[in-house]
Amino acid sequence: MRTQHPNLWHPIRFAIMLIVLAWTIYGVCYEPPTDIFGVIWVAMLVTALVLSPLFLKSTSVAILVIASIGDLFTPYAHLGNSLPAQLYAYGMLAYSTNAIIVATLLIYYVVNILLIDPLTQIPTPSPWSACTPWCYCLVGR
């Protein structure tokens, strides 16, 4: 069994996944989704997190895609509930691939946050739009 699924038995990755999963579940319990699309979004995010020890690269990319397109379907995705999962996905991608891929994805998401997010919040732009890229950069150091 250990040779069939070696990623599952890495204790540090598994522990980090459990911490991020608990953090995500706490966020859902603290402020539950109000519409069906929010419930579906949370279910997709939790499913990708649970499967991440088995399929590290593909589920990390899936987490990033789920987090980025969540704003298009539900306002619940914009509450910061996916930030721990995104940081987990960046870390796991940096661990399993080279740094150029992760740097490219990071640059894309920083540009996305700075240019696209303010356009989706035209009535009340959030001050977090400028702070979030710096949080990503600090975690990446």
Side-chain angles (χ1 to χ4, degrees), residues 95-119:
Y95 179 76
S96 62
T97 63
N98 59 14
I100 295 172
I101 294 171
V102 177
T104 305
L105 286 171
L106 187 63
I107 289 169
Y108 166 74
Y109 281 106
V110 167
V111 169
N112 187 14
I113 289 169
L114 288 177
L115 298 179
I116 297 172
D117 277 356
L119 295 177

Side-chain angles (χ1 to χ4, degrees), residues 6-86:
N7 292 338
L8 181 64
W9 298 105
H10 196 289
I12 295 173
R13 278 187 267 172
F14 192 72
I16 293 172
M17 185 273 301
L18 288 178
I19 291 169
V20 171
L21 185 63
W23 195 347
T24 303
I25 291 172
Y26 172 76
V28 170
C29 292
Y30 184 73
E31 189 168 345
T34 56
D35 59 345
I36 189 66
F37 294 114
V39 173
I40 292 170
W41 182 80
V42 168
M44 290 189 315
L45 188 65
V46 167
T47 302
L49 275 172
V50 169
L51 292 176
S52 66
L54 295 172
F55 311 104
L56 191 61
K57 294 176 190 173
S58 58
T59 53
S60 295
V61 172
I63 288 170
L64 294 175
V65 169
I66 290 167
S68 69
I69 66 169
D71 290 339
L72 301 175
F73 298 107
T74 178
Y76 184 75
H78 196 69
L79 296 176
N81 295 324
S82 66
L83 184 61
Q86 286 180 352

